[in-house]
Amino acid sequence: MSRRSRLSRWVLAGYCVYLILPLYWLLTLALRSNADIAGVFELVPSNPTLANFAEILTNPVWYQGFVNSISYVLLNTLISVSVALPAAYVFSRYRFLGDRQLFFWLLTNRMAPPAVFLLPFFQLYSSIGLFDTPLAVALAHCLFTVPLSVWILEGFMSGVPTEIDDMARIDGHSFWFFFTRIFLPINRSAIGVTVFFCFMFSWVELLLARTLTGSEAKPIVVVMTRTVSASGMDWGVLAAASVFTVLPGILVVWFVRQHLVKGFALGRV
Amino acid sequence: MTWMAWTLPTAIFFAVIAVALSVLIVLELERPTSMSRGWLPMATTRGDRFFISLLGAAFIHLLWLGLTPWSAMYASGLAIIWSGVIMAKG
Amino acid sequence: MAQNKTQDNRAWLGVLPVMLIVAFSGVIPLMTVVNYSVQDILDFNTRFFVGFEWYRETLTDPRFIDAFLRQLGFSAAVLAIEIPLGIVIARGMPTQGLRASLLLVLLATPLLIPWNVVGTIWQIYARSDIGLLGVTLNEMGFAFNYTAEPLHAWLTLLATDIWHWTSLVALLAFAGLTSVPAACYQAAELDGASKWQVFRHVELPRLKGVLVIAVLLRLMDSFMIYTEPFVLTGGGPGNTTTFLSQYLATMAVGQFDLGPAAAFSVIYFLFILLFSWLFYASVMRSEEGS
Amino acid sequence: MQLAQWVGSINRSVILVAAVLGLGACGESNEAAKTAAQADVDYAANAAQWIDAEFQPSTLSRDQQLEEMAWFTQAAAPYRGMTINVVSETLTTHQYESETLAQAFFAVTGIRVNHDLIQEGDVIEKLQTQMQSGENIFDAYVNDSDLIGTHSRYGYVVALSDFMAAEGADVTSPTLDLDDFIGLSFTTGPDGKVYQLPDQQFANLYWFRHDWFSDPQLKQRFEQRYGYPLGVPVNWSAYEDIAEFFSVHVGEIDGQKVYGHMDYGKKDPSLGWRFTDAWLSMAGAGDKGIPNGLPVDEWGIRVEQCRPVGSSITRGGAANAPAAVYALQKYIDWLKAYAPEQAPGMTFSEAGPVPAQGQIAQQIFWYTTFTADMIKPDLPVVNADGSPKWRMAPSPHGPYWEEGMKLGYQDTGSWTLLSSTPLERRKAAWLYAQFVTAKTVSLKKTLVGLTPFRDSDIRSQAMTDMAPKLGGLVEFYRSPARTAWTPTGTNVPDYPKLAQLWWANVANAVSGQVTAQAAMDSLATQQDRVLARLQRHGALGDCGPALNEERDAQYWLDQPGAPKPALANEKPQGQTVDYETLLASWVRAAGEQAGAQMD
Amino acid sequence: MARIRLQEIAFTYPGASEPTLQPISLDIQDGEAFSLLGASGAGKTTLLNLLSGILPPTQGRIFFDDVDVTELPGRDRHLAQVFQFPVLYQSMSVAQNLAFPLTTRGSTLNREAIDKRVSAIAKELNIESILKRSANAISLFEKQLVAIGRALVRPDVSVVLLDEPLTAVEPSIKWRLRRTLKHVQDELGVTMIYVTHDQTEALTFAERVSVLADGQILQTGTPEAVYQNPAHQFVGHFLGSPGMNFLPSNAFPQPLQRSFAEDGDPETIGFRPESAGLTAPSEVLLSGIVETQRVLGTAQGRVVSMYGLRCGAAQVFVRSPASFACGDEVGIALQRWVGFREFLRVGSNGAE
């Protein structure tokens, strides 16, 4: 096919190298001691050590950070998908007052530069007693993930013929049955893509997560900042922690990869 | 809600916008608009024009504050004229 | 796609949860920030109304204007590179098989790394004494030092942003391309269309939807870029990589100078809103005209 | 108001969601704590066990330790079962507190403590968030005493003197011995009240490679070239000469490139610390008077009574005075000419460990927090027998410096209680703060973290035994010279707002975008603008800023003290002192002081 | 315009054990309207892809006129294709779509000539009124018309391939499009190859039809010939609705069997429902029992019905104006039949 031209394949190959090299470097850092990292340049670690990984695996603070992060990411994904599904459905099926303006408005919420909004966020969630809970972070991240989820799901659902709705109605199914048993399975791939995007935004976000948590719900990205201290920078542990933070993401992508292609392909294009 | 740091002027400002939005909704339900074309380079609905006039008013204020040393009241006056023009003719 | 939709305002019930959640975590903080922006706030019970003073101060502050122009330059550069690059990469992607899956995972990886880590990775990767990139460049004879040379700092930041975000564009574009029916390529082939014409007339129109969102997301995010330059260059050398968010964060989380920072934010927000809306409206307009 | 109702209803529904989702993590741990408290725990046995297993050596006898712990058990009784959250920056000392002392505290009192460790900047951010919102985030903070001017003026920090005398009396340890804290003066406000309780303390000193400095061949080469002996530099001229000597003339030692200077210059908040901590006062920009110089301090801020009145020369300040400009210029010159190529891109944290790699001959501005990482075996700067190849010594001073002025930075991370923390929690946190600084544990903590804060610990036998390994740390803390090392003082009315101005302006000068003079002028103007804003609303009370009218700079330069007029010769003859002689004088002075105290 | 010759073309997908196309030879005349008819999976699309140069044949040669184009890529074969779903350039107007093939390949046509050509084609297809519209803003039917127009617009086009072009069009207007196509083909005399599984389309459009099954061409001929005189049992079965009736020749009464033997001695006799009549049962006629009856309409004042009859083990359909009821025994008079041996035609008889 004419699509995969030689040029673009070369660019892709080059880009892959470009992507991999920093990741490789991260991995080698994780396998070296701090003195080693700051002291010498070497392509392959000559004194590889697993001490950095051991530190992370044995210190409960790190472990707890992972648990906290995963719990708010999952919560966020759950909330985003479950509120976005009905919204996307009505967007794809009905015309209503202000529908055209709504999506742009949803997106504009992402335009707020986070720095100043941190204090209102903090106060908002403290005032309802959610400060330092995963739910607070999950809800705050909804600001970013919900508009995107609606957009992805709506695109996909618009591609599903309305005849399916009518057919279910004629067959005498309740709306609830139709939606959960017929409509959602059709949109499986889109949900996969949505999950990926929710995961992506929620997992990597630092500022809100930091502001909305104290010690109970402290996420992994915040735990990572402790590697910078008055007695130096703990490169090795930071790198090892980074390697760990990449892993869940890779797992998610691997599991939804089929949906990613399909969901993307049939979705909003 | 003391933490929201309300002041009277901002409260009035938001109240005005809220009222305007409600009026727009009611109008829309009573007399729905369709896309129409004024001297703006695209077809707009009443809601679109409302948004454009607000955004325009904001930038009139910004320009005024950035470029002139005079009171922002003049800018507000300009902004009201601008909004009127857009809502009516946009 | 918009055909046969029924008009029914009860549909609002379906949108309500989304509206509530977004209004709750979006509108309330936004209103609070607007409230902040007209006050001088010393602590939570010591506040003074100052009107538009912070706005005037920000707008006439040469540092703000410089940072704003730099920001425009950076966002423009990011969009100009990442959008085409993402499309080219997407065009090179295989559509099935293990290789496709692995590539997909590789492409998605940078998107899943916490932002501060992205900055850290590049910071050390580009160091000219212990970083792979920096050392390699120096070995090749370029006196590369991103901590001292403004140009190098810019290039490194761009490289970092490209590394971090092009994948998003590529994934979206890839999705768009997968939906182009084979017949379209075939027809263009038989019509004798050149490679460029195939791209321009067959692929690009089908990519429009995803590209709109890619451009919007990249525009907003690049306009708000903070973490990477903060970690990588701290905004230096000098002010050369100090973007709006750097400047803002110093005010907001460093000095906790809420009033001026809020005015700054509102101005900032208005500009992004304007750019995004102009873009959105022009896209909508071209759609409507067609 | 409709909106209020609406928000209210959301609140309820969100809480409902939270409840349904069963996010009971914190509930669970509370319960666990309660059951532990309800069970009949033998706190005395626990205390004994901890004392024997962990808290040795100590300056107290075992019985005294037991007695002190018994007081904690008894005082904490009303708060048993509580879980409190405290936070501090990442530092070996705090790590020890978080991982060991918090456990011991629980064993002895039944109060559970989450001692959180985060980056220093984040600690301040949390503190500020609590201050700005009035919402309790942490029950106690350990933050540097630099904020004393802010704490004492804004009124959101509990004045410990008042607290201990009133509502906190029943939870204030009789064995606290406040006068034993060497950093107490740093945490005392202009009103004479103690606002914070020191928890760990460190200084910045001059650091050098003792082995190279005593190398006969190098010594001879140096003397030949510069006309005076190689030794610990007393003034900046000598420091500059030595830096040039190693970076330019020696170049390589044992086949490795060496540098005569190390510093950092990345545009980062830590670049500000570099300056606000002591740099200007080392050059001699401020006034005489310990701790911070009166009426003009090292930030160039002049105070009258306790009111800041300006920082530009035109208002009687010294932030853009010749001495300040000189200080900035020297920092830049040395960074560019003598430090490793990477140094301008480093932050404080990155630059700190660099001397340990063995290529740095001396560093003028070196923090003792790096001591623990400099004495690890197998480092290029540690001898085979474990003794350091390096030493620390008093920092050299600039040409504007005069006897009786602050000579360096010393700060104490201290416990801070906020008035927005509920009283019960505050009391429990106060118990913990006293516990981790109690004499029972303090010596052990000091030996682990090397950040001594109690005079009794410094003078202990254990520290004497440790001294040879610490390159002069113990000697420094025992010497009376120590008092010339101080943190940011009470002249600075709003540390967060003002400190941010420094790094941005300094970075501009480092990159060469503006001259040192322009950078300091801009800094002074911006500082004054912040002061004016604080003054405008009069919210800071009697010690709030009250700016002087601007007048001709010459008027102020003509007055005695800072701002000082430019010197004709900013590079006087270099002066050095032999390290061993210096050390002997410290030891002698320490002995005299101890003797004087005994009298 | 060109004459298309396929010489022993065959195709096997790499790695497949069975060939997708058996060696095929075809000769399509210049300006001919030609149909390829086959059920899905018969190899139509493969054959089309071989023609358009997407796939290279495993063996054989392809000639356009006398030029061997086997190795030429599709774009150099000067052919045009119309797809199942209208393929248009969404970002262009209808006129731009039509003009597009004229502007590519370094075309030397000037603006005026292009416009002339476009308006000529538009006139031919009767789409002049929508020329200015965007390609996105017209109906599916119009889109397919534009797609056809784009295929026809190039004066140097050697052949137009039509790949089931009516699939996406609503049934109610299929005939309009079909008529337009036929009309244009007649007017312009372009060589067209129409690929479809729909016999009506194939038979009404083409001058000649090839019936394809299992990668083989079973028969090529005029629609009449293919319909009336199937060369293969499958062709008879495939065409017509219902298709041809087949009975073993020994199921017929002796006299008929004898006459069959003179005409090639077939094993199987095929006859179309309309090539037989129903009368009273008789010794010399094939007999059957009426099982179903469906009224089709009237002809010359008489009701015509489709009868389903049981003849021994087999069921046959006969269209007849006679009137019988279910269960009646009837005689079937063959007016025309085709005889097959081993599925291939060996003889035929009768008049239509």
Side-chain angles (χ1 to χ4, degrees), chain A residues 115-245:
Chain A
V116 190
F117 287 76
L118 294 178
L119 190 68
F121 263 111
F122 165 75
Q123 292 188 304
L124 180 61
Y125 288 100
S126 316
S127 69
I128 54 171
L130 285 182
F131 173 70
D132 207 10
T133 62
L135 185 61
V137 185
L139 281 174
H141 283 171
C142 280
L143 190 57
F144 303 89
T145 54
V146 165
L148 208 63
S149 305
V150 173
W151 176 76
I152 294 170
L153 291 171
E154 195 268 330
F156 196 97
M157 289 177 184
S158 298
V160 177
T162 48
E163 283 77 10
I164 290 183
D165 306 36
D166 302 335
M167 215 146 64
R169 208 169 300 134
I170 291 163
D171 289 349
H173 293 309
S174 71
F175 176 76
W176 182 246
F177 181 90
F178 156 72
F179 195 72
T180 53
R181 300 291 175 77
I182 300 173
F183 196 69
L184 290 191
I186 294 177
N187 292 288
R188 231 180 11 241
S189 293
I191 296 173
V193 180
T194 313
V195 166
F196 166 75
F197 270 100
C198 291
F199 182 92
M200 184 185 112
F201 276 97
S202 190
W203 181 256
V204 300
E205 203 278 337
L206 170 68
L207 287 178
L208 284 172
R210 185 178 70 187
T211 305
L212 295 177
T213 54
S215 41
E216 290 290 342
K218 192 159 71 166
I220 186 69
V221 280
V222 177
V223 178
M224 285 169 104
T225 63
R226 68 148 69 191
T227 54
V228 182
S229 76
S231 53
M233 176 111 201
D234 205 342
W235 294 110
V237 171
L238 181 63
S242 308
V243 170
F244 277 119
T245 60

Side-chain angles (χ1 to χ4, degrees), chain E residues 59-133:
Chain E
Q59 69 167 69
R61 320 285 321 159
I62 303 172
F63 296 93
F64 282 20
D65 286 333
D66 290 322
V67 184
D68 182 347
V69 298
T70 320
E71 311 292 333
L72 279 184
R75 58 190 304 142
D76 297 331
R77 296 186 185 182
H78 297 289
L79 36 77
Q81 187 163 357
V82 177
F83 298 85
Q84 294 188 5
F85 293 88
V87 172
L88 293 184
Y89 301 105
Q90 299 176 353
S91 53
M92 303 184 195
S93 70
V94 168
Q96 282 168 328
N97 260 286
L98 289 177
F100 185 72
L102 299 174
T103 60
T104 55
R105 304 175 222 260
S107 164
T108 48
L109 284 178
N110 61 23
R111 193 68 245 165
E112 232 168 279
I114 290 175
D115 287 347
K116 228 168 110 187
R117 182 77 191 158
V118 166
S119 51
I121 289 291
K123 190 160 180 234
E124 199 66 51
L125 293 169
N126 201 13
I127 50 172
E128 291 146 299
S129 58
I130 57 168
L131 275 180
K132 291 272 181 301
R133 306 263 294 275

Side-chain angles (χ1 to χ4, degrees), chain E residues 199 203 209 211 219 221-233 235-237 239-240 244-246 269-276 319 335-340 345 347-352:
Chain E
Q199 44 176 306
L203 299 182
V209 178
V211 180
Q219 185 175 10
T222 61
E224 292 78 10
V226 173
Y227 185 80
Q228 288 295 5
N229 227 359
H232 188 283
Q233 255 182 263
V235 177
H237 160 77
L239 294 184
M244 205 170 229
N245 300 305
F246 294 105
I269 300 298
F271 62 95
R272 294 212 169 268
E274 62 272 25
S275 312
R319 205 176 77 176
Q335 283 136 25
R336 185 187 155 78
W337 53 266
V338 183
F340 298 93
R345 185 183 66 210
S348 62
N349 204 337
E352 184 71 3

Side-chain angles (χ1 to χ4, degrees), chain C residues 55-128:
Chain C
Y55 288 91
R56 178 159 271 156
E57 194 166 276
T58 306
L59 288 166
T60 50
D61 184 350
R63 287 174 301 167
F64 168 79
I65 295 161
D66 287 351
F68 184 74
L69 294 177
R70 262 195 297 276
Q71 184 73 65
L72 282 182
F74 184 77
S75 289
V78 160
L79 286 177
I81 296 171
E82 287 176 14
I83 301 291
L85 182 62
I87 296 172
V88 173
I89 290 167
R91 295 181 81 213
M93 289 273 286
T95 43
Q96 48 214 341
L98 182 67
R99 230 155 52 89
S101 298
L102 287 177
L103 271 172
L104 217 54
V105 170
L106 177 64
L107 275 183
T109 305
L111 299 174
L112 297 159
I113 301 179
W115 297 0
N116 53 335
V117 178
V118 171
T120 312
I121 293 175
W122 273 82
Q123 181 199 8
I124 196 150
Y125 178 64
R127 278 262 295 262
S128 52

